[in-house]
Amino acid sequence: KYYPPDFDPAKIPKLKLPKDRQYVVRLMAPFNMRCKTCGEYIYKGKKFNARKETVQNEAYLGLPIFRFYIKCTRCLAEITFKTDPENTDYTMEHGATRNFQAEKLLEEEEKRLQKEREEEELNNPMKVLENRTKDSKLEMEVLENLQELKELNQCQANVDFEAMLKQYKELEEEQRHKEQE
């Protein structure tokens, strides 16, 4: 590009954009959902041209929360969802319902089992002892397996070929001396 000698970049006016500006982005549906107006299923991974905006007055630990607007593939009804950085997920706002999600149910089940175990341990001191012994046995087994793997790797890694060749040559020389004697 040509810049004339009297060019002054300070004279170029600054572009002032609003804070709640919407951008058009190409994204994939982050979860399975079903449109509330027509009942169309939208599967995870379906590509959309979406409008993205920063949600005003909402942030999580300094991270901005974004809202996405997509249109149903059949009836063109607007569906909105936003990011949920607290749970590393997305939350459905309106226009559709979120379908079954197995990972979330698994996490909830694990939390429930952990809570039950803690409550049981509070009431029963023998259960605390049993759980501790189970945990320590499991930990010992894991450590033994890890130690075995380390030993195997060490045996394979510590092969000194030079020493082996030297030892082989010494054995050959000893055999020659014996033969000569």
Side-chain angles (χ1 to χ4, degrees), residues 3 7 27 49 64 72 79 98 109 118 121 127 133 141 157 167 176:
Y3 293 103
F7 175 73
L27 64 81
N49 290 325
C72 174
I79 299 170
R98 190 166 176 169
E109 183 70 18
E118 288 172 2
E121 286 178 355
K127 199 67 176 175
T133 54
E141 288 178 14
Q167 190 177 10
R176 281 190 205 143

Side-chain angles (χ1 to χ4, degrees), residues 47-61:
K47 290 184 181 177
F48 291 96
N49 290 325
R51 293 188 331 253
K52 174 185 123 178
E53 72 178 8
T54 305
V55 179
Q56 296 297 314
N57 302 324
E58 277 191 53
Y60 174 73
L61 298 177

Side-chain angles (χ1 to χ4, degrees), residues 134-148:
K134 266 188 206 173
D135 291 343
S136 63
K137 280 184 182 178
L138 187 67
E139 190 175 335
M140 291 295 287
E141 288 178 14
V142 167
L143 286 173
E144 286 175 7
N145 291 340
L146 185 64
Q147 189 65 30
E148 286 178 19

Side-chain angles (χ1 to χ4, degrees), residues 105-120:
L105 288 176
L106 273 173
E107 288 175 12
E108 289 174 0
E109 183 70 18
E110 286 176 8
K111 286 179 184 176
R112 188 184 59 77
L113 288 174
Q114 184 70 21
K115 196 178 277 187
E116 283 179 8
R117 181 177 173 180
E118 288 172 2
E119 288 175 8
E120 194 174 318

